[in-house]
Amino acid sequence: MIVRLFRRLITVAGLIALCSLTAHAESVPRYEAGPLLGFSAGAFDLTQGEDAAIEGRLEYRQNNDWWFKPLATFMANTDGAAFAGIGIYSEIFLTENFYLSPSFTPGVFLRGQSKNLGHPIEFRSQMELGWRFESGLRTSVSINHISNAGMGNRNPGTESVVISLLVPFGQLF
């Protein structure tokens, strides 16, 4: 089921990327695109697979020329879990369009019927690999780890892999 979901997500991301390439938008300088709103979908607890679920995420990222930039995120999965947090991210452009983006986000995890992570306070560390189109639109794939850093009696952690579409706020409204 998860493999089928990933194939569909990759197909959708590819179609979005293709549409973006054919759009006749002017090139937007990297930081002038304004804040970014991210829409993500993927697999929760992918590596351990004990409590695998489908994950969806909504994320707000401040887009400026600072080395560390603020972000706010909300994640929910099909087992009723939710994670909300505020953190920081950075962008390392490897080429004009290809980038690597590490982030760190402390937050609150509500378990629902999902995996017991051992504590309501959790920390998400993430590595994202993406492509920025001339219009400012971005597509990416990321892997993250959520853990309570030993604050609870249990600390099994979990990993997720997601595909994201990041849209400049000004293109939505």
Side-chain angles (χ1 to χ4, degrees), residues 96-140:
E96 183 65 28
N97 301 89
F98 191 56
Y99 67 93
L100 189 63
S101 182
S103 66
F104 177 74
T105 309
V108 176
F109 181 79
L110 303 174
R111 178 181 175 200
Q113 299 300 310
S114 193
K115 186 172 190 169
N116 180 359
L117 295 182
H119 200 275
I121 303 298
E122 298 287 334
F123 303 91
R124 183 188 83 181
S125 50
Q126 177 172 284
M127 187 60 70
E128 175 180 309
L129 193 58
W131 184 265
R132 181 191 176 279
F133 295 96
E134 297 300 318
S135 66
L137 185 77
R138 301 172 188 212
T139 58
S140 66

Side-chain angles (χ1 to χ4, degrees), residues 40 55 57 59 61 67-68 71 88-94 98-105 123-131 139-146 158-164 166:
S40 306
E55 171 180 322
R57 191 184 309 160
E59 196 160 279
R61 296 183 187 182
W67 180 248
F68 295 109
L71 69 84
I88 57 171
Y89 77 103
S90 187
E91 292 178 316
I92 303 158
F93 276 84
L94 306 172
F98 191 56
Y99 67 93
L100 189 63
S101 182
S103 66
F104 177 74
T105 309
F123 303 91
R124 183 188 83 181
S125 50
Q126 177 172 284
M127 187 60 70
E128 175 180 309
L129 193 58
W131 184 265
T139 58
S140 66
V141 62
S142 62
I143 184 165
N144 70 62
H145 175 75
I146 297 177
T158 187
E159 288 75 32
S160 297
V161 174
V162 299
I163 294 174
S164 301
L166 296 142

